[in-house]
Amino acid sequence: MTTHRADTDSFNAGSAAQGAFATYLVGGAVRDALLGIEGSDRDWVVVGATPEAMLGNGFTPVGKDFPVFLHPRTKEEYALARTERKSGTGYKGFTVYATPDVTLEEDLQRRDLTINAIAQDTDGNLIDPWGGVRDLQNRVLRHVSAAFAEDPLRVLRVARFAARFADQGFTIADETRALMHTMSSSGELKDLVAERVWREFDKALQENQAQVFITVLHECGALATLLPEVDRLFGVPQPEQWHPEIDTGIHTLMSLQQACRLSNDLAVRFAALMHDVGKGLTSAEDWPQHIAHEHKGVQLIADVCQRLRVPTDCADLARLSSQYHTHCHQMQVLKPATVLKTLEGLDAFRRPQRLQKFLQVCEADARGRTGLEAQAYPQANLLWQCFVAADEIDVPTLLAHKPVPPGPEAGEKIRNMLHQARLGRIKDTLTRLRAAP
């Protein structure tokens, strides 16, 4: 393991007057170094210091809820050793104690997982009072202490770490799973602020195995509170002819997994997660058919995005993917007018990059089915080629061939000419490509 040393020069001036204190590298930097992962941000904990001592040594305060300081040269974060006591509900319902007598072991005890509760001193020695090294070796995610249950956000964090380290074979300890289920049933997840919830979703959806995050939340009961629109999809059947996996929830997980393989874009992955939420509104007597689920999902997605403060680009792509994904699947038989309507609905002529992302969502949906994960998806290229052909239409060229007299109706006439010209190009493209072997 690489030895990390603190830049301690800034402690020299006035340290005798201020009193001795020690610094330790903690958290993700230690964990990732033990796993052979490079590039993690370095965070430090300071034992035996006061805020006045930190200021006297040139550190800049940045913490609002507890004492955190930036090093005067490296700008790395140094937090005073602290303990926390539950004093309310939700993420911020804590009273923080950060006095010089707080020990390193006490500071590490308040952390979420044992693998995140390992410290390293300035000589490279590990301090591991809670068995984090052992759990790293055994590939286990285990909570440090009963204090884990005091912070409901940790349910999401464990699910996120499960996704991050899924490729390395990590699993969640049985006792931690049981505690997460108890916490999810307590109702405290409802007290989490939307921005914090979305931040965890944002980070988790960018992991290679993002579907593990959703799976863990579903299994412990948290998804029913945080994202019920997706949670209710589990157990909802689809026609086996088109969906060999049958279960809509399983299909959603598979689609998200495929989206992770196709794209690193957060909006694509979020849209893949949300594309079929309309099926959760289908009456049981209508199963396994899901008529108009595309349009039913649009309002559900709008509600989710408002509730979780989802960024606009993610919200827009998710909504449009729900509305139009079956159009893309049907490109081999879709009428030219419907193809153009789809492109216009996606605002593809002004936002071609959005169309590219939409096509990735549709491909992820098509491949998110048992036994069809590697299936070709020519529909994406067919819709793209229709767009390219229609987008080549140039308004000045149109007007050169058929001028439009100025007047109050000129704008509408030009729009109609453009529409018809694009439609003609799409017809020609479909005829040519559909006839190709």
Side-chain angles (χ1 to χ4, degrees):
M1 175 181 173
T2 302
T3 297
H4 297 281
R5 294 184 179 276
D7 184 344
T8 56
D9 291 348
S10 59
F11 293 107
N12 294 333
S15 59
Q18 299 286 359
F21 46 86
T23 60
Y24 301 87
L25 186 69
V26 293
V30 180
R31 176 200 68 223
D32 289 351
L34 290 169
L35 290 172
I37 301 173
E38 300 180 354
S40 299
D41 292 336
R42 304 198 308 172
D43 294 314
W44 304 84
V45 65
V46 184
V47 177
T50 63
E52 291 75 19
M54 300 299 287
L55 294 173
N57 282 283
F59 284 77
T60 304
V62 294
K64 294 181 179 179
D65 300 317
F66 46 83
V68 180
F69 302 82
L70 294 183
H71 191 281
R73 284 199 298 275
T74 68
K75 304 306 178 183
E76 293 177 338
E77 288 192 358
Y78 285 67
L80 297 187
R82 67 184 189 272
T83 60
E84 297 170 345
R85 180 174 300 172
K86 190 72 169 175
S87 60
T89 60
Y91 171 65
K92 294 186 176 181
F94 294 90
T95 299
V96 176
Y97 298 88
T99 54
D101 60 339
V102 176
T103 67
L104 176 63
E105 288 74 14
E106 289 174 328
D107 181 272
L108 295 176
Q109 185 180 21
R110 68 172 177 77
R111 297 173 185 267
D112 50 9
L113 297 172
T114 60
I115 66 170
N116 297 328
I118 309 168
Q120 179 185 343
D121 66 21
T122 55
D123 293 323
N125 301 308
L126 295 178
I127 299 90
D128 180 28
W130 308 108
V133 173
R134 179 193 63 235
D135 284 340
L136 278 176
Q137 294 169 343
N138 294 330
R139 299 299 193 256
V140 175
L141 301 175
R142 189 191 317 276
H143 64 283
V144 174
S145 70
F148 178 95
E150 295 179 352
D151 184 357
L153 190 68
R154 288 177 169 176
V155 173
L156 284 83
R157 282 178 54 82
V158 173
R160 175 162 60 84
F161 279 117
R164 173 179 297 181
F165 296 124
D167 288 335
Q168 298 193 40
F170 276 78
T171 59
I172 302 173
D174 290 342
E175 61 269 30
T176 302
R177 282 186 177 274
L179 183 55
M180 291 167 65
H181 190 277
T182 299
M183 294 168 66
S184 298
S185 302
S186 71
E188 275 211 53
L189 289 173
K190 296 178 181 178
D191 295 322
L192 293 173
V193 296
E195 290 78 6
R196 292 296 295 141
V197 172
W198 173 250
R199 191 177 305 172
E200 293 298 322
F201 270 83
D202 182 327
K203 293 178 180 178
L205 288 175
Q206 296 185 62
E207 300 292 348
N208 290 336
Q209 300 289 343
Q211 78 282 354
V212 174
F213 174 73
I214 302 299
T215 299
V216 171
L217 292 181
H218 169 65
E219 291 177 347
C220 76
L223 195 64
T225 296
L226 300 171
L227 200 56
E229 296 83 357
V230 171
D231 190 72
R232 69 168 66 103
L233 297 177
F234 290 89
V236 173
Q238 304 170 103
E240 187 174 3
Q241 175 186 5
W242 308 113
H243 287 277
E245 72 286 347
I246 301 176
D247 190 298
T248 307
I250 300 301
H251 165 63
T252 297
L253 294 176
M254 296 177 70
S255 298
L256 177 55
Q257 184 177 26
Q258 291 295 324
C260 292
R261 294 174 179 174
L262 292 168
S263 174
N264 292 324
D265 192 280
L266 174 63
V268 171
R269 297 180 177 194
F270 179 69
L273 173 64
M274 301 298 296
H275 79 280
D276 262 353
V277 293
K279 292 180 178 179
L281 298 181
T282 304
S283 299
E285 55 266 26
D286 294 327
W287 289 349
Q289 304 298 324
H290 297 279
I291 299 173
H293 76 276
E294 304 91 341
H295 299 287
K296 293 177 183 177
V298 171
Q299 185 58 52
L300 287 179
I301 292 170
D303 294 342
V304 169
C305 293
Q306 181 177 14
R307 185 175 75 241
L308 296 183
R309 309 292 192 269
V310 176
T312 301
D313 63 326
C314 294
D316 288 346
L317 185 62
R319 174 179 54 81
L320 293 169
S321 295
S322 174
Q323 186 172 355
Y324 292 111
H325 67 277
T326 52
H327 284 186
C328 189
H329 296 335
Q330 297 166 358
M331 274 302 298
Q332 295 291 357
V333 297
L334 213 62
K335 294 179 180 179
T338 306
V339 173
L340 180 54
K341 180 180 179 181
T342 300
L343 292 172
E344 291 173 341
L346 293 167
D347 200 12
F349 298 107
R350 291 197 308 161
R351 296 180 171 89
Q353 290 183 338
R354 177 194 283 173
L355 174 60
Q356 292 176 325
K357 294 178 182 181
F358 168 78
L359 294 175
Q360 290 178 318
V361 177
C362 294
E363 184 171 354
D365 177 26
R367 290 185 173 184
R369 299 179 291 168
T370 300
L372 302 172
E373 295 87 347
Q375 178 179 255
Y377 189 66
Q379 295 95 320
N381 181 62
L382 188 52
L383 182 54
W384 179 257
Q385 292 303 322
C386 287
F387 160 72
V388 171
D391 194 45
E392 290 175 349
I393 300 298
D394 181 75
V395 173
T397 302
L398 281 178
L399 294 178
H401 286 86
K402 189 177 181 180
V404 175
E409 298 180 355
E412 184 65 24
K413 289 180 179 179
I414 293 173
R415 284 190 291 271
N416 289 337
M417 287 173 56
L418 179 61
H419 181 89
Q420 291 303 316
R422 285 174 171 172
L423 184 60
R425 286 292 187 93
I426 290 173
K427 287 179 180 179
D428 293 342
T429 301
L430 290 175
T431 299
R432 174 172 53 84
L433 294 180
R434 285 173 178 173

